[in-house]
């Protein structure tokens, strides 16, 4: 049985795979721009928009960058039996939503989506190992 844990945020994804008592680990970088949208122009315009167009352009670009990032992750996990998604913020939930909408075959393999703090590679490996051990994994 091939089990995968995916820790992800907007910057990177750590993919921990356990298969036949073997462990593998890869990191995928997202290339999502880390730009904070600033509202307003500094002066008050009564009744007029304040950078609304720029906000939409940024958010649309970010959405497309996230989809490309998710496709890269999906290409690494196509032949798995069980998946757990974990990490800070809402990127894990967005990834889960992408899987349920466009990759139903993988979505059925998701055991859980868990919010966790930021983790090092070593912590992510240990977290996945403990998660699957408590879920009844016999080879860990």
């Amino acid at each position: 049985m091939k089990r995968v844990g995916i820790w992800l945020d907007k910057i990177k994804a750590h993919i921990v795979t356990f298969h036949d008592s073997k462990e593998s680990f890869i990191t995928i970088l997202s290339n999502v721009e880390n730009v904070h949208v600033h509202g307003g122009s500094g002066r008050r315009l009564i009744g007029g928009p304040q950078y609304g167009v720029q906000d939409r352009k940024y958010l649309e670009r970010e959405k497309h960058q996230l989809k490309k990032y998710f496709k890269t992750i999906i290409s690494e996990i196509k032949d798995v039996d069980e998946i757990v998604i974990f990490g800070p913020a809402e990127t894990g939930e967005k990834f889960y939503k992408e899987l349920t909408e466009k990759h139903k075959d993988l979505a059925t393999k998701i055991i859980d989506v868990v919010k966790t703090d930021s983790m090092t590679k070593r912590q992510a490996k240990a977290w996945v190992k403990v998660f699957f051990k408590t879920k009844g994994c016999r080879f860990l």
Side-chain angles (χ1 to χ4, degrees):
M1 182 169 274
K2 192 170 187 180
R3 293 183 164 131
V4 171
I6 305 167
W7 179 94
L8 76 156
D9 63 8
K10 279 188 181 178
I11 299 168
K12 64 185 170 278
H14 296 308
I15 301 174
V16 182
T17 306
F18 292 103
H19 180 61
D20 294 335
S21 300
K22 294 177 187 162
E23 175 184 319
S24 68
F25 184 92
I26 62 169
T27 299
I28 296 173
L29 300 177
S30 71
N31 295 324
V32 173
E33 295 176 30
N34 192 13
V35 178
H36 297 287
V37 179
H38 297 80
S41 64
R43 26 176 233 182
R44 291 290 262 169
L45 299 174
I46 299 175
Q50 296 182 7
Y51 292 123
V53 174
Q54 259 186 332
D55 293 352
R56 276 195 308 253
K57 284 181 182 177
Y58 167 74
L59 293 173
E60 191 65 25
R61 187 168 57 239
E62 180 187 56
K63 186 171 81 173
H64 289 292
Q65 290 170 344
L66 278 173
K67 285 188 181 280
K68 186 176 179 183
Y69 174 45
F70 294 160
K71 278 184 185 180
T72 306
I73 295 170
I74 289 166
S75 70
E76 292 292 331
I77 62 166
K78 285 195 177 216
D79 60 339
V80 300
D81 298 310
E82 294 180 341
I83 302 169
V84 61
I85 300 169
F86 61 109
E90 61 207 32
T91 309
E93 292 167 2
K94 287 180 182 179
F95 182 60
Y96 175 74
K97 183 178 177 184
E98 177 77 11
L99 290 176
T100 56
E101 290 175 358
K102 301 209 170 117
H103 303 276
K104 294 184 191 304
D105 56 324
L106 283 175
T108 60
K109 299 175 182 181
I110 295 173
I111 298 172
D112 206 351
V113 179
V114 181
K115 286 207 176 209
T116 62
D117 291 331
S118 295
M119 293 185 186
T120 64
K121 293 177 183 182
R122 188 176 287 178
Q123 289 171 328
K125 284 181 186 180
W127 191 94
V128 173
K129 191 176 273 194
V130 168
F131 179 85
F132 283 123
K133 190 177 248 182
T134 59
K135 294 293 181 184
C137 182
R138 62 186 189 287
F139 61 83
L140 293 178

